[in-house]
Amino acid sequence: MATISDVATRAGVSTATVSRALNGKATVDPELAGRVLAAAEELGYRPNGPARNLRKQETAVLALIISDVENPFFTAIARGVEDVAHEAGYSLVLCNSDDTPDKEREYVDVALQERVAGVLLSPTGSPGTAELLARHSTPVVAVDRPLPDRASDTVLVDNRLAAKHATLHLAGQGYGRIGCLTGPSGVPTADDRLAGYRDGLRAAKLPSSTSLVRRSKFKADGAQQAAHALLRQNDPPDALLVGNSAMAVGVLEALAALKLKPGRDVGVVAFDDAPWTTLLDPPLSVVAQPAYDIGALAARLLLDRISGDREETSTTTLSAHLVARGSSTR
């Protein structure tokens, strides 16, 4: 009796493509579907009834697990994912992990129980999540950060280069003691932004000191405390590179409390171009990331993986760009 592997070999596709073609999935290329159907007919292949019924329980739903739903960067990613998913006939479930491994694992468990077709994940760094998805053969694409210790399709931004350019911009505006507020140690985006900041200082031949660096969660309250600590030193920074827009809120609160004005007293550049950044006086200089494009590309990669049209994993690194405004220009 012919097996699904026999059909895949005859048609020159993966077994996943055979399964989806025989179940009428719209994401399978029509030419591939035709080859699969012809091969199945030639070999007299008949799907196993119970197994086919189990596979049919897979829902036309994608799960997106992000670290902070309040962060405009991640909501823009979600919009890009949703637009592509909806066009392909899939629904999207949005989950917020709060950058907590236990919460991430809970949402992955739910996604597996609900038999989602695939998962898009901004990883917390817990290797257990990737292993769990692999054990269940659930397609996954990592966004913003790579999966730890496991190859997967991944869509990233070159945070290190972007942070370097932002630091060089501040140096070019005449700031000579530039500080950095970044996220927790071990989070790839936080570490890359710190490394890029140090690259920029070296390139500008400016001093680098641990006293100019603070880490906190990617949240406003932690950044406010960190900014206070930096700015109340005996020799405080005259400019700050800030890890994301949520942290920027905390930094601006700290500046206001200390009666310091961005752009006049302290130069400020923050990652992520949130809608409110142009409403400030002066407007906030930002490193704009292509968040929507990250989501859209990640969704297309996942749909290709679901349809069986992708075999090798890939990492796509997009570029961010500096938008200089009044908070950093002199």
Side-chain angles (χ1 to χ4, degrees), residues 83-247:
D83 283 352
V84 171
H86 184 265
E87 185 178 351
Y90 283 79
S91 298
L92 181 68
V93 174
L94 179 62
C95 309
N96 182 51
S97 74
D98 281 324
D99 244 345
T100 305
D102 287 346
K103 196 173 180 183
E104 176 186 84
R105 176 62 179 262
E106 289 174 10
Y107 279 127
V108 169
D109 284 338
V110 171
L112 293 173
Q113 291 166 17
E114 296 300 321
R115 296 183 180 273
V116 299
V119 173
L120 300 110
L121 176 66
S122 175
T124 63
S126 171
T129 299
E131 293 169 4
L132 181 61
L133 290 166
R135 281 204 307 271
H136 286 79
S137 300
T138 300
V140 59
V141 174
V143 295
D144 188 46
R145 311 166 185 174
L147 280 177
D149 304 323
R150 186 171 294 274
S152 74
D153 292 314
T154 307
V155 184
L156 308 172
V157 169
D158 194 338
N159 284 282
R160 183 166 183 165
L161 183 61
K164 177 182 178 180
H165 287 165
T167 304
L168 285 171
H169 161 72
L170 288 167
Q173 292 297 310
Y175 297 103
R177 188 168 169 78
I178 303 169
C180 178
L181 280 79
T182 189
S185 178
V187 176
T189 48
D191 293 346
D192 287 348
R193 289 168 192 175
L194 179 58
Y197 155 78
R198 287 173 171 156
D199 291 342
L201 292 181
R202 281 193 294 271
K205 296 182 170 53
L206 289 177
S208 176
S209 170
T210 56
S211 68
L212 293 173
V213 175
R214 292 291 186 278
R215 287 183 181 267
S216 77
K217 290 185 177 180
F218 280 121
K219 299 284 187 179
D221 54 354
Q224 182 182 22
Q225 295 173 21
H228 263 288
L230 276 175
L231 294 167
R232 296 178 74 178
Q233 296 180 125
N234 291 331
D235 193 7
D238 60 359
L240 295 172
L241 175 63
V242 184
N244 73 356
S245 60
M247 297 179 80

